[in-house]
Amino acid sequence: MLVREMLNFGETEVHTVAPQQPLSDALATMAEHHVGVLVVIESEVLVGMLTHRELISAIYTRRDIEHAPIGDFMLRNPVTATPEMHMNDLRRLMVTSRSRYVPVLENGKLKGAVSFLDVAKAVLEEQDLENRMLKQYIRHWPEGEAPKQGFG
């Protein structure tokens, strides 16, 4: 399965903010839309991401976040995926980079963002399809023919 196909499974709306916006705007947007990530865009270019992790750090290190700019706390240069990336490669990337969210770029343009939950849903969907296909195949096994045993 490709990332392009996964983007169709879940919510594809991506919420964006600018680095100069205050963190209070980011908190309001995340709460209002029930999202865990905001993609930070400047001049139509991805410059960072803001997740729960960065917000917690901001609150811990700086008590007055009302006017603190998002750019001071965002994750700069996040790992990204392409729509043509295979899901297994995306899973590996997310695990090795410890990223719960990955923006998806095509020719430098933001196409969406994939969460670890999106990946888990896609894996379950793919496994369910494979299981149904295998069960269908077994049910329609030609009579008189037994499945081959062993590896030979």
Side-chain angles (χ1 to χ4, degrees), residues 99-144:
S99 300
R100 292 186 206 180
Y101 305 94
V102 175
V104 179
L105 302 177
E106 186 171 46
N107 299 323
K109 300 277 186 202
L110 182 66
K111 292 296 180 185
V114 179
S115 72
F116 211 76
L117 179 60
D118 294 331
V119 172
K121 285 179 183 177
V123 168
L124 287 174
E125 192 72 27
E126 193 172 58
Q127 286 176 344
D128 185 49
L129 175 64
E130 287 175 3
N131 285 339
R132 285 194 313 255
M133 290 172 63
L134 283 170
K135 287 177 183 176
Q136 184 72 14
Y137 179 75
I138 291 168
R139 267 191 235 116
H140 293 91
W141 197 271
E143 283 201 37

Side-chain angles (χ1 to χ4, degrees), residues 30 40 73 79 85 129 142:
M30 291 172 92
V40 186
F73 297 97
V79 296
M85 181 181 271
L129 175 64

Side-chain angles (χ1 to χ4, degrees), residues 7-74:
L7 288 175
N8 296 331
F9 277 11
E11 178 183 291
T12 56
E13 183 179 9
V14 178
H15 299 278
T16 62
V17 290
Q20 65 274 13
Q21 283 181 261
L23 277 175
S24 56
D25 285 1
L27 284 168
T29 300
M30 291 172 92
E32 179 182 333
H33 297 286
H34 305 285
V35 295
V37 65
L38 298 174
V39 179
V40 186
I41 302 288
E42 187 170 42
S43 301
E44 298 184 25
V45 175
L46 171 78
V47 293
M49 286 192 339
L50 189 71
T51 69
H52 294 114
R53 188 177 293 158
E54 289 78 36
L55 286 175
I56 290 169
S57 177
I59 292 167
Y60 178 74
T61 60
R62 186 172 177 170
R63 291 184 187 269
D64 176 27
I65 64 165
E66 184 71 24
H67 304 290
I70 290 169
D72 287 357
F73 297 97
M74 70 183 183

